[in-house]
Amino acid sequence: MLLAQVIVGGLLLGAIYALFSSGLTLIWGMMNFINFAHGEFVMLGMYVALLVVVWLGGGPEAFGFAAAFALFVLGVVVYLSLIRHVMRGPMLAQILSTFGLALLLRYTAFWIFSANFVSLPQVSLSGTLNVAGILMPVPQLVAGVAAIALTFALHLLLTRTTVGSQLLAVAEDRNAAMLMGIRPIACRRSPGGWRRAAPASPAR
């Protein structure tokens, strides 16, 4: 029974880590870009959830959407202000820029929230389920199931939709994808720095 408890707990925790790593893998596989600040983005999402619960008294249905929206806005800002300027540069520029961004986000969070360990207050998703003698915390169970569902949805998006096929094609070979009529947003080097290139015309 102890072995079964350890296996179930490891699978639930592993599902959450798999969801985190899928985002990192997607960025690397699609954009060929290394994001050393990926963990700090996850950390900020957790702090957004904490603020929604503490300040607004919201539950999981509220802080989940709030964290997703906040991280989406932050991601757009970071991309426009930093990532697009270094993504076509050397690998060292990507590593140093995202590592510096990770330090900025981390110590900004330390300055605002302190470095003390905090956890979400008791919300509607609390307690422990006893299934055939195996104890499963409800928050961890819901997070694990949601992680599996989101990972599967991401897989379907990339393999069963037109947008996903275009993303995979561009990631595999940008030039060949452009010849097939896919119009990726490209960047090219100019004397004044990086700038957006004109989209490719559809192939005839």
Side-chain angles (χ1 to χ4, degrees):
M1 187 60 69
L2 179 60
L3 179 60
Q5 179 72 58
V6 172
I7 292 175
V8 171
L11 289 175
L12 292 177
L13 185 60
I16 299 174
Y17 285 131
L19 181 62
F20 294 163
S21 62
S22 65
L24 187 62
T25 304
L26 185 65
I27 295 172
W28 168 249
M30 295 297 174
M31 301 176 61
N32 197 27
F33 187 86
I34 300 178
N35 182 16
F36 276 82
H38 187 75
E40 279 65 27
F41 278 83
V42 176
M43 172 199 68
L44 293 178
M46 296 178 181
Y47 275 120
V48 170
L50 176 67
L51 294 178
V52 170
V53 173
V54 173
W55 290 355
L56 304 178
E61 65 283 350
F63 66 65
F65 288 105
F69 178 76
L71 268 294
F72 171 77
V73 173
L74 178 61
V76 171
V77 172
V78 170
Y79 173 78
L80 294 177
S81 61
L82 175 64
I83 302 301
R84 70 173 182 173
H85 298 292
V86 299
M87 65 181 302
R88 299 297 177 188
M91 186 67 67
L92 182 60
Q94 300 179 15
I95 294 174
L96 293 179
S97 61
T98 55
F99 183 73
L101 175 64
L103 294 179
L104 175 64
L105 296 177
R106 182 184 310 170
Y107 288 102
T108 300
F110 286 172
W111 177 61
I112 297 175
F113 300 102
S114 80
N116 297 325
F117 178 82
V118 293
S119 59
L120 290 176
Q122 292 294 327
V123 293
S124 57
L125 294 179
S126 60
T128 304
L129 294 179
N130 189 334
V131 180
I134 300 177
L135 301 179
M136 294 184 291
V138 174
Q140 192 172 353
L141 177 62
V142 173
V145 172
I148 295 174
L150 290 174
T151 303
F152 183 68
L154 179 61
H155 172 73
L156 292 180
L157 174 67
L158 293 176
T159 59
R160 297 292 188 271
T161 65
T162 302
V163 174
S165 299
Q166 292 175 352
L167 289 173
L168 293 175
V170 173
E172 183 71 23
D173 192 325
R174 174 183 291 267
N175 292 329
M178 293 170 65
L179 292 174
M180 297 301 294
I182 300 174
R183 305 175 61 183
I185 300 299
C187 296
R188 64 170 180 260
R189 190 65 182 270
S190 64
W194 294 99
R195 65 181 181 182
R196 181 174 298 178
S201 300
R204 297 185 182 275

